Amino acid sequence: MNSSNFTDYFTPIEASFITFVMLLATIMTIFGNFVVLFYVCPKIAIKTVAGGLMTNLAMVDILVGCFLMPFNAVSFLCSKYYLSGNICQFFAFLNTTLCIVSTLTLSTISLDRCICITKPLQYHSIFTIRSIRLIIPLLWIMAVVIASLPFQQVGRYAYVSHEFQCWILPSESRQIIVILLTVLCLCVTMILISYFLIYKAARKTKRRIASVHSITNNNSRMRQYDYKTAKTMLLIVGLFLICWIPRTVLLLWYTHNDSSTLHAIWPLLCTWLALINSTLNPFIYCIHNSYYRGILIYALKKQCCSRCSRTHHVMVHNFPLSMYNN
């Protein structure tokens, strides 16, 4: 373990800006996923397969916001001096577990949507509420097994000074880094293929529908639809790649190079980009979706109306009638 501090790498102004970004990301992650978890998920979790997966993703993301982000921010500010060995290992284990569950859930969501759109007749026999109740625990078991490997002498958890976090020590963890790299590459490949097939199927379906109707204004409508579909796919896939590809490249770099030779800004940036994926998920998968957005707006309006009615009720009953008795 190196005894370096963030002041060894950044000026006070740079450190202050980085801390502000960490704090902002943490607040947005907790708020966004809290709203989704408590307003949207109760309406969809037990009704659809996608709802179950969305609930699992929101749970993972809110854990990232409540535990990983604050702990990593504290690690950045305080360095290893304030971290005991057991606490450090626990958060390293939690970091690895949640990151794996998050990427596995995102890839499962993409596969679910792909089969739903490309194989609608077979979809309900492949993905059922019962099957998803088995799939979600399986994702967690896989993540816990992989994250537990350093406890079985396959790699080692420690405070990584140039990353400002407790994680896998790159110099002693080549095997588990390769395993994590394999999982990430498989998830990225599955997401890319799934959304490519979704886009292809969506265009094909729209053209079939358009061929039934009159051909007037057909071309302009098709171009508008293609643009909207492409924009949605680009948003989902593009943000996922922006968040996770740097971390994947960093893991690949660790397998061939000495991690201590890398400037601290790059591991820090790659780590927080991956964490910020949990900030973006509720906006990408819920608020951007018109159906989920409608559920959220209805729930918020209902709660707002119930609060207004309770306030009115309290004001009426607590009205100072004594003023009429004088």
Side-chain angles (χ1 to χ4, degrees), residues 221-232:
R221 289 178 180 176
M222 280 303 303
R223 282 196 297 270
Q224 289 176 359
Y225 176 79
D226 289 345
Y227 173 74
K228 185 177 180 180
T229 306
K231 188 171 71 171
T232 303

Side-chain angles (χ1 to χ4, degrees), residues 271-282:
T271 298
W272 275 88
L273 274 176
L275 293 176
I276 286 172
N277 187 232
S278 295
T279 311
L280 300 175
N281 283 336

Side-chain angles (χ1 to χ4, degrees), residues 88-281:
C88 187
Q89 289 200 344
F90 169 76
F91 276 96
F93 168 79
L94 188 65
N95 190 344
T96 307
T97 300
L98 293 180
C99 288
I100 294 173
V101 175
S102 181
T103 52
L104 289 176
T105 303
L106 287 170
S107 59
T108 307
I109 289 173
S110 69
L111 181 62
D112 167 73
R113 294 296 85 200
C114 180
I115 296 175
C116 180
I117 292 173
T118 60
K119 305 286 184 182
L121 298 178
Q122 294 88 359
Y123 172 73
H124 291 290
S125 62
I126 299 172
F127 278 102
T128 62
I129 297 296
R130 186 176 180 180
S131 67
I132 213 64
R133 288 174 181 169
L134 296 175
I135 291 173
I136 290 175
L138 183 62
L139 299 181
W140 280 92
I141 291 170
M142 289 172 60
V144 168
V145 168
I146 295 173
S148 299
L149 290 177
F151 299 128
Q152 310 299 323
Q153 309 306 315
V154 181
R156 186 162 76 91
Y157 287 137
Y159 181 81
V160 185
S161 60
H162 64 280
E163 290 199 13
F164 305 102
Q165 67 167 339
C166 292
W167 195 58
I168 299 162
L169 197 62
S171 60
E172 301 179 23
S173 309
R174 293 282 191 274
Q175 289 176 301
I176 191 170
I177 286 176
V178 170
I179 293 171
L180 290 174
L181 190 60
T182 303
V183 172
L184 282 172
C185 288
L186 288 174
C187 289
V188 169
T189 303
M190 184 184 295
I191 289 172
L192 287 174
I193 293 174
S194 295
Y195 282 111
F196 172 76
L197 294 175
I198 289 171
Y199 175 70
K200 193 175 177 182
R203 288 195 63 184
K204 188 176 180 181
T205 302
K206 185 64 178 179
R207 292 185 185 280
R208 284 179 181 175
I209 296 172
S211 64
V212 177
H213 302 286
S214 61
I215 310 184
T216 51
N217 296 326
N218 200 32
N219 290 333
S220 61
R221 289 178 180 176
M222 280 303 303
R223 282 196 297 270
Q224 289 176 359
Y225 176 79
D226 289 345
Y227 173 74
K228 185 177 180 180
T229 306
K231 188 171 71 171
T232 303
M233 296 299 104
L234 183 64
L235 176 70
I236 295 172
V237 177
L239 288 177
F240 176 83
L241 293 178
I242 289 171
C243 290
W244 281 104
I245 287 296
R247 188 66 177 166
T248 306
V249 172
L250 181 67
L251 289 175
L252 184 62
W253 193 88
Y254 280 161
T255 60
H256 296 89
N257 300 276
D258 182 8
S259 60
S260 61
T261 61
L262 194 65
H263 190 277
I265 187 62
W266 300 114
L268 187 69
L269 180 64
C270 293
T271 298
W272 275 88
L273 274 176
L275 293 176
I276 286 172
N277 187 232
S278 295
T279 311
L280 300 175
N281 283 336

